[in-house]
Amino acid sequence: MRGIRKSFGATHALRGVAISVMPGEVMALVGENGAGKSTLMKVLSGAHAPDDGSLSLDGEDYAPKNPLHARESGVAMIYQELSLAPHLSAMENILLGIEPSRRGLINWREMRSRATEALAAVGLEDIPPETPVNRLPIAQQQLVEIARAVALNCRVLVLDEPTSSLTAKDIEKLFALVRDLAAKDIAIIYISHFLEEVQAISQRFTVLRDGETVGEGLSQEAPEEEIIALMVGRNVEDLYPRNERAPGDIALEVDQLAGMLKPVSASLELRKREVLGIAGLVGAGRTEFLDTLFGLEPVASGTVTIGTYSGAAEPALRWSQGMGMVSEDRKTQGLALGLSIADNVTLPKLDGLGPGRLVFPSQQLNACDPWIEQIPIKCRSAHQPVSDLSGGNQQKVAIARLLHADVDILLLDEPTRGIDVGSKAQIYQLIDSLAQGDSKTGREPKAVLIVSSYIPELLGICDRIAVMCRGQLSDAKPVEDWDEHQLMATAIGQE
Amino acid sequence: MPKQYLTDAKRLALEPYQFHMPNPFFINFLKALKSKAWVNTAARFLALIIVFLFFAIFVEDGKFYSLRNLENIVRQSSVYATAALGMTFVIITAGIDLSVGSIIALAVVVVAWTLNIQIDGANGELAYLVHQHPFATPILACVLAIVAAISVGLLNGALIVRLKLVPFIVTLGTMGIIRGLAKGIANERDIYPPEETWIGALMDPTLTNKAKSWMIFPAGVWILIVCITIASFILKYTRFGRHVYAIGSNEETARLCGVPVGRTKLIVYGLTGFFCALAGFMQFSYIGGVGQPTTGIMYELFVIAAVIIGGASFSGGEGSILGTIVGALIITILYMGGQQMGWPKWVQEMVIGGIIILAVAVDRLRHRKLA
């Protein structure tokens, strides 16, 4: 791939990326969230056409028209979110779109034998090909996806953050399989931001930042710090501003909280003028913990105390108690994309925007404008639909909602996921100043609870960090007592 | 954004012949237009005018734009439009209500049934309630019909909210149940009230009737106009209205922001019941003051079509009352224009079906271009 450019509206997701991978090689593609890895892969798989640049495969020009074309050309992708049809059987999934058939009738016998072969190649020979994939554990579902790529006789296999929901044991198995596939002369692109994985599995690495290739090298030789510096592209201190602050009164107390499935048990104390981080793997129960705190999910046992209240709660009550939440997935959960910025920001607190129960659109705009200016949100006006904005600005809209509602306790679930570095820096700045309070404007210091999968970010902005592992929340320790390795080890339960 | 302006201008100056990229000014202009709701509505008015002009030109002797015919269009569209007010709320929440035709029939039958109640008269023989209390009985009829219709709406809402059933299925079910109920109340026959009342006169033409010409429009149309005003106001200027849009645009977000999702939906379906009762009164009058349990069949489809042509989206979060009214007028004009052109019924049906698809397709296309 050479000089690939791609932009969406005003956002330049890719501006001049060049990567190469040889048969039998594992090449790691690293970069922060939002660096353009996923977009690049979408170009490779034909989901997006590049605006500029060229791709070649086995020495020939390669211009995939759509994902099917890419698969037929031998380029297979394993996405972070699995793309299996959950109700169909393993074999139907493996041969989806390339079912052996004659005149539209499926040849089940051949289907079965080819699926069995592919399953064996990924070490799933004990699984009957008829098993519906939703009965399989996640790790095996992922292997079924890889089997799908194997059944295609793929030339290039792309794995996008394949370990994010796997246990350490499954990760080992996956690595063995990847090495196996590479030995069969398949070119493998391995996307990750876990540097240990990069060193464990790949021969070469390429670093992407802000949609550009900023460096490459041999994985075994490059020191970790160097790769991080390439990924971040600036000194860590600049990215994570932090004022000295001493925690104030207790704002939120959680005692042995358990939800229906997760969390199993979580206790913490959150103080004003404090940023408390929760680390952990995807699926450890962090999101469920916040949802339970906020009354979106039922409480099975344990208590949540805000001020003197520790009874049952639903979101409306939480907002009125001065608690607000930014949810993990802004597209499906956090924002009403079709509605305007003003509508999104003012939704939790519409009173005061007109007499009685009335809401005047002009007053919604007035209430919204100061936040657009302060945060700042890049937009034409507060009338603009949120769907027009870039990911970073969308996220700022979700945060502006909490500021409009003037909450004291902010629950932030992956607030910087998939947004550009510039927006990230602004959000970090904002979190810091919120926790700090402002004596000039009389803005009270806030209490911030932040869930993130990106460890450097937690280490950069939090005062204390707790780790969630299999629904169990560890004690919160001051950030000085943690480092990246410890956090990771605790997150995967190896401590 | 002055900065962007400069770089764009620079780029265009450097590469004068490369216009493969859409002109950003033009796109921005279109986007700016898109965010203005009145442009949407204006586009629909334009479509309405085109459809109207088509029939005005092609229906012979200018019959189509005679005052009498215009009044007929308004009278006919009132029934659809009134029911469509409620449907607009429902569709904005990303729901659907297939039972509106049946609720209209239920209201019609309940009105006729109440007007037909017999009681013991002064001399011991049976007498019609409406003869004994000529003022109170029609009011009672309306109240009963409204109560019945709202109950059905709330039932729909409760099943959808409490049992978490899909609106399509729930209202498909109640569509059958309520139609059956209406037929049961009427004993599967038309009910002929013994006396003409003001309910039956709601849609009386005012053009041909000297005594009523001061009203300009039939009473039912005035009811509709009041309802349009109130419904628009509710959608735009109340907390409830904002909640309706928020739920339709993203229910998860609404829940996250503390919107009472269940209660709002319940009210929305109840409201639809209420508007269907009003539509029922109009229909009762329009079909000549008869309690016909088979009336309003297929109306749900016309009503849904009116809302969709009016710019609402099945995926929720979009739609407006004014758009819906224009949609209802377009449907009615197509229907009546087709009749007056002498098109056979099957042609009419095909044309209306085609127009619905066309309208929605154009809308989607426009959305995608600007997304």
Side-chain angles (χ1 to χ4, degrees), chain A residues 319 333-335 343 357 359, chain B residues 237 239 242 250 253 256-257:
Chain A
W319 284 103
Q333 222 193 350
L335 293 166
D343 270 329
R357 294 188 66 81
V359 177
Chain B
Y237 292 105
R239 209 185 290 191
R242 295 287 93 194
N250 191 339
T253 306
L256 178 79
C257 290

Side-chain angles (χ1 to χ4, degrees), chain B residues 201-260:
Chain B
L202 275 179
M203 298 308 280
D204 281 357
T206 47
L207 274 177
T208 45
N209 187 336
K210 280 267 160 58
K212 288 191 173 175
S213 60
W214 60 271
M215 293 174 69
I216 306 171
F217 291 126
V221 177
W222 284 114
I223 294 179
L224 172 62
I225 291 172
V226 171
C227 288
I228 291 173
T229 319
I230 295 176
S232 305
F233 184 82
I234 290 177
L235 261 187
K236 183 137 196 207
Y237 292 105
T238 66
R239 209 185 290 191
F240 171 74
R242 295 287 93 194
H243 287 174
V244 167
Y245 278 104
I247 289 172
S249 183
N250 191 339
E251 194 171 322
E252 292 289 318
T253 306
R255 192 162 282 135
L256 178 79
C257 290
V259 171

